[in-house]
Short mmCIF file of all heavy atoms in Angstrom, two decimals:
data_model
loop_
_atom_site.label_atom_id
_atom_site.label_comp_id
_atom_site.label_asym_id
_atom_site.label_seq_id
_atom_site.Cartn_x
_atom_site.Cartn_y
_atom_site.Cartn_z
N ALA A 222 0.73 8.53 6.65
CA ALA A 222 -0.26 9.35 5.94
C ALA A 222 0.09 10.84 6.06
O ALA A 222 0.06 11.58 5.06
CB ALA A 222 -1.66 9.08 6.47
N VAL A 223 0.41 11.25 7.27
CA VAL A 223 0.76 12.66 7.50
C VAL A 223 2.04 13.02 6.75
O VAL A 223 2.14 14.08 6.12
CB VAL A 223 0.87 12.96 9.01
CG1 VAL A 223 1.44 14.35 9.26
CG2 VAL A 223 -0.51 12.83 9.68
N SER A 224 3.01 12.12 6.77
CA SER A 224 4.27 12.34 6.04
C SER A 224 4.03 12.42 4.53
O SER A 224 4.80 13.06 3.80
CB SER A 224 5.27 11.21 6.31
OG SER A 224 5.58 11.15 7.68
N SER A 225 2.95 11.78 4.07
CA SER A 225 2.63 11.77 2.63
C SER A 225 1.84 13.01 2.20
O SER A 225 1.54 13.18 1.02
CB SER A 225 1.81 10.52 2.28
OG SER A 225 2.54 9.36 2.59
N GLY A 226 1.48 13.84 3.17
CA GLY A 226 0.78 15.08 2.83
C GLY A 226 -0.63 15.19 3.35
O GLY A 226 -1.31 16.20 3.11
N VAL A 227 -1.11 14.18 4.07
CA VAL A 227 -2.44 14.26 4.68
C VAL A 227 -2.41 15.25 5.84
O VAL A 227 -1.50 15.21 6.68
CB VAL A 227 -2.88 12.85 5.18
CG1 VAL A 227 -4.11 12.96 6.08
CG2 VAL A 227 -3.15 11.93 4.01
N GLU A 228 -3.36 16.15 5.87
CA GLU A 228 -3.39 17.18 6.92
C GLU A 228 -4.46 16.93 7.97
O GLU A 228 -4.41 17.51 9.06
CB GLU A 228 -3.61 18.57 6.28
CG GLU A 228 -2.48 18.99 5.35
CD GLU A 228 -2.75 20.30 4.66
OE1 GLU A 228 -3.80 20.94 4.95
OE2 GLU A 228 -1.93 20.70 3.82
N HIS A 229 -5.44 16.10 7.64
CA HIS A 229 -6.58 15.87 8.54
C HIS A 229 -6.70 14.38 8.87
O HIS A 229 -6.69 13.54 7.97
CB HIS A 229 -7.89 16.35 7.89
CG HIS A 229 -7.89 17.81 7.58
ND1 HIS A 229 -8.45 18.74 8.43
CD2 HIS A 229 -7.39 18.50 6.53
CE1 HIS A 229 -8.29 19.95 7.90
NE2 HIS A 229 -7.65 19.83 6.75
N ILE A 230 -6.81 14.08 10.16
CA ILE A 230 -6.97 12.70 10.62
C ILE A 230 -8.32 12.57 11.33
O ILE A 230 -8.68 13.40 12.17
CB ILE A 230 -5.85 12.30 11.62
CG1 ILE A 230 -4.48 12.34 10.94
CG2 ILE A 230 -6.11 10.91 12.21
CD1 ILE A 230 -4.19 11.22 9.98
N GLY A 231 -9.05 11.50 10.99
CA GLY A 231 -10.35 11.25 11.61
C GLY A 231 -10.35 9.94 12.38
O GLY A 231 -9.90 8.91 11.86
N GLU A 232 -10.82 9.99 13.61
CA GLU A 232 -10.95 8.79 14.45
C GLU A 232 -12.36 8.72 15.02
O GLU A 232 -12.98 9.73 15.30
CB GLU A 232 -9.94 8.82 15.60
CG GLU A 232 -8.57 8.25 15.24
CD GLU A 232 -8.59 6.72 15.08
OE1 GLU A 232 -9.42 6.04 15.72
OE2 GLU A 232 -7.76 6.21 14.31
N ASN A 233 -12.84 7.49 15.21
CA ASN A 233 -14.20 7.34 15.74
C ASN A 233 -14.23 6.70 17.12
O ASN A 233 -15.29 6.44 17.66
CB ASN A 233 -15.07 6.52 14.77
CG ASN A 233 -14.72 5.06 14.78
OD1 ASN A 233 -13.58 4.70 15.03
ND2 ASN A 233 -15.71 4.22 14.52
N ARG A 234 -13.02 6.45 17.67
CA ARG A 234 -12.97 5.91 19.03
C ARG A 234 -12.00 6.73 19.85
O ARG A 234 -10.96 7.18 19.36
CB ARG A 234 -12.48 4.44 19.00
CG ARG A 234 -13.41 3.45 18.35
CD ARG A 234 -12.81 2.05 18.33
NE ARG A 234 -11.48 2.06 17.71
CZ ARG A 234 -10.35 1.83 18.37
NH1 ARG A 234 -10.36 1.59 19.68
NH2 ARG A 234 -9.18 1.85 17.74
N GLN A 235 -12.35 6.88 21.11
CA GLN A 235 -11.52 7.67 22.02
C GLN A 235 -10.10 7.09 22.11
O GLN A 235 -9.11 7.82 22.05
CB GLN A 235 -12.18 7.70 23.40
CG GLN A 235 -11.32 8.20 24.53
CD GLN A 235 -11.46 7.35 25.78
OE1 GLN A 235 -12.46 6.66 25.96
NE2 GLN A 235 -10.46 7.38 26.63
N GLU A 236 -10.00 5.76 22.22
CA GLU A 236 -8.68 5.13 22.37
C GLU A 236 -7.78 5.40 21.17
O GLU A 236 -6.61 5.72 21.31
CB GLU A 236 -8.84 3.60 22.57
CG GLU A 236 -9.60 3.18 23.81
CD GLU A 236 -11.12 3.24 23.65
OE1 GLU A 236 -11.59 3.51 22.52
OE2 GLU A 236 -11.82 3.04 24.66
N GLY A 237 -8.35 5.24 19.98
CA GLY A 237 -7.58 5.48 18.76
C GLY A 237 -7.15 6.93 18.64
O GLY A 237 -6.02 7.22 18.23
N LEU A 238 -8.06 7.82 18.99
CA LEU A 238 -7.75 9.25 18.92
C LEU A 238 -6.58 9.60 19.84
O LEU A 238 -5.61 10.26 19.42
CB LEU A 238 -8.99 10.06 19.31
CG LEU A 238 -8.77 11.57 19.44
CD1 LEU A 238 -8.57 12.22 18.08
CD2 LEU A 238 -9.92 12.23 20.18
N LEU A 239 -6.66 9.16 21.09
CA LEU A 239 -5.61 9.50 22.06
C LEU A 239 -4.26 8.89 21.69
O LEU A 239 -3.22 9.55 21.76
CB LEU A 239 -6.02 9.06 23.47
CG LEU A 239 -6.78 10.11 24.30
CD1 LEU A 239 -8.06 10.59 23.62
CD2 LEU A 239 -7.11 9.58 25.69
N GLU A 240 -4.31 7.63 21.25
CA GLU A 240 -3.06 6.94 20.87
C GLU A 240 -2.36 7.65 19.72
O GLU A 240 -1.15 7.90 19.76
CB GLU A 240 -3.39 5.49 20.48
CG GLU A 240 -2.19 4.67 20.09
CD GLU A 240 -2.61 3.29 19.56
OE1 GLU A 240 -3.52 2.67 20.15
OE2 GLU A 240 -2.04 2.88 18.54
N LYS A 241 -3.13 8.01 18.69
CA LYS A 241 -2.53 8.64 17.52
C LYS A 241 -2.17 10.09 17.79
O LYS A 241 -1.16 10.60 17.30
CB LYS A 241 -3.46 8.49 16.32
CG LYS A 241 -3.56 7.02 15.88
CD LYS A 241 -4.48 6.81 14.70
CE LYS A 241 -4.45 5.35 14.24
NZ LYS A 241 -5.41 4.50 14.93
N HIS A 242 -2.97 10.75 18.59
CA HIS A 242 -2.66 12.14 18.94
C HIS A 242 -1.36 12.20 19.75
O HIS A 242 -0.55 13.11 19.57
CB HIS A 242 -3.81 12.76 19.73
CG HIS A 242 -3.73 14.25 19.85
ND1 HIS A 242 -2.84 14.89 20.67
CD2 HIS A 242 -4.43 15.23 19.22
CE1 HIS A 242 -3.00 16.20 20.56
NE2 HIS A 242 -3.95 16.43 19.67
N ASN A 243 -1.16 11.24 20.63
CA ASN A 243 0.07 11.20 21.43
C ASN A 243 1.30 11.09 20.54
O ASN A 243 2.36 11.63 20.84
CB ASN A 243 0.04 10.02 22.41
CG ASN A 243 -0.88 10.29 23.60
OD1 ASN A 243 -1.20 11.45 23.88
ND2 ASN A 243 -1.31 9.25 24.28
N ALA A 244 1.15 10.37 19.43
CA ALA A 244 2.28 10.16 18.52
C ALA A 244 2.48 11.33 17.55
O ALA A 244 3.60 11.70 17.24
CB ALA A 244 2.07 8.87 17.73
N LEU A 245 1.37 11.90 17.09
CA LEU A 245 1.45 12.90 16.02
C LEU A 245 1.24 14.33 16.48
O LEU A 245 1.68 15.27 15.82
CB LEU A 245 0.42 12.57 14.93
CG LEU A 245 0.71 11.33 14.11
CD1 LEU A 245 -0.54 10.85 13.39
CD2 LEU A 245 1.80 11.61 13.11
N GLY A 246 0.52 14.51 17.58
CA GLY A 246 0.28 15.85 18.12
C GLY A 246 -0.28 16.81 17.10
O GLY A 246 -1.22 16.49 16.38
N ARG A 247 0.35 17.98 17.01
CA ARG A 247 -0.18 19.03 16.15
C ARG A 247 0.29 18.92 14.70
O ARG A 247 0.12 19.87 13.92
CB ARG A 247 0.20 20.42 16.71
CG ARG A 247 -0.28 20.70 18.11
CD ARG A 247 -1.72 20.31 18.39
NE ARG A 247 -2.68 20.84 17.44
CZ ARG A 247 -3.96 20.50 17.38
NH1 ARG A 247 -4.45 19.59 18.22
NH2 ARG A 247 -4.77 21.05 16.50
N ASP A 248 0.83 17.78 14.33
CA ASP A 248 1.19 17.58 12.92
C ASP A 248 -0.06 17.42 12.05
O ASP A 248 0.03 17.44 10.82
CB ASP A 248 2.08 16.33 12.75
CG ASP A 248 3.48 16.55 13.30
OD1 ASP A 248 3.84 17.72 13.56
OD2 ASP A 248 4.21 15.56 13.49
N ALA A 249 -1.20 17.20 12.70
CA ALA A 249 -2.45 17.01 11.95
C ALA A 249 -3.57 17.81 12.60
O ALA A 249 -3.48 18.22 13.76
CB ALA A 249 -2.82 15.53 11.90
N THR A 250 -4.64 18.01 11.84
CA THR A 250 -5.89 18.54 12.38
C THR A 250 -6.76 17.34 12.70
O THR A 250 -6.91 16.43 11.88
CB THR A 250 -6.58 19.45 11.34
OG1 THR A 250 -5.71 20.56 11.05
CG2 THR A 250 -7.91 19.98 11.87
N TRP A 251 -7.36 17.33 13.91
CA TRP A 251 -8.01 16.13 14.43
C TRP A 251 -9.53 16.23 14.40
O TRP A 251 -10.11 17.20 14.89
CB TRP A 251 -7.52 15.86 15.86
CG TRP A 251 -6.06 15.58 15.87
CD1 TRP A 251 -5.03 16.48 15.99
CD2 TRP A 251 -5.44 14.30 15.68
NE1 TRP A 251 -3.82 15.84 15.90
CE2 TRP A 251 -4.03 14.51 15.71
CE3 TRP A 251 -5.93 13.01 15.50
CZ2 TRP A 251 -3.11 13.47 15.56
CZ3 TRP A 251 -5.02 11.97 15.35
CH2 TRP A 251 -3.63 12.20 15.38
N HIS A 252 -10.12 15.17 13.86
CA HIS A 252 -11.58 15.11 13.71
C HIS A 252 -12.11 13.89 14.45
O HIS A 252 -11.63 12.77 14.21
CB HIS A 252 -11.97 14.98 12.23
CG HIS A 252 -11.51 16.13 11.38
ND1 HIS A 252 -12.39 17.09 10.91
CD2 HIS A 252 -10.28 16.48 10.91
CE1 HIS A 252 -11.70 17.97 10.18
NE2 HIS A 252 -10.42 17.61 10.18
N PHE A 253 -13.09 14.09 15.31
CA PHE A 253 -13.78 12.93 15.90
C PHE A 253 -15.02 12.70 15.06
O PHE A 253 -15.92 13.54 14.99
CB PHE A 253 -14.17 13.18 17.36
CG PHE A 253 -14.61 11.91 18.05
CD1 PHE A 253 -13.67 11.05 18.61
CD2 PHE A 253 -15.95 11.54 18.09
CE1 PHE A 253 -14.07 9.84 19.20
CE2 PHE A 253 -16.35 10.36 18.68
CZ PHE A 253 -15.41 9.51 19.24
N ILE A 254 -15.07 11.54 14.40
CA ILE A 254 -16.10 11.33 13.37
C ILE A 254 -17.11 10.25 13.76
O ILE A 254 -18.06 10.01 13.02
CB ILE A 254 -15.46 10.97 12.01
CG1 ILE A 254 -14.61 9.70 12.14
CG2 ILE A 254 -14.63 12.13 11.48
CD1 ILE A 254 -14.06 9.19 10.82
N GLY A 255 -16.93 9.61 14.90
CA GLY A 255 -17.84 8.55 15.29
C GLY A 255 -18.95 9.05 16.20
O GLY A 255 -18.95 10.19 16.65
#
Side-chain angles (χ1 to χ4, degrees):
V223 171
S224 299
S225 300
V227 168
E228 297 176 4
H229 299 264
I230 297 286
E232 273 288 332
N233 74 330
R234 294 177 306 112
Q235 167 224 337
E236 297 81 6
L238 173 72
L239 269 58
E240 180 187 317
K241 292 180 176 88
H242 194 286
N243 285 340
L245 290 162
R247 301 315 307 171
D248 288 346
T250 299
W251 296 89
H252 299 254
F253 192 85
I254 59 174

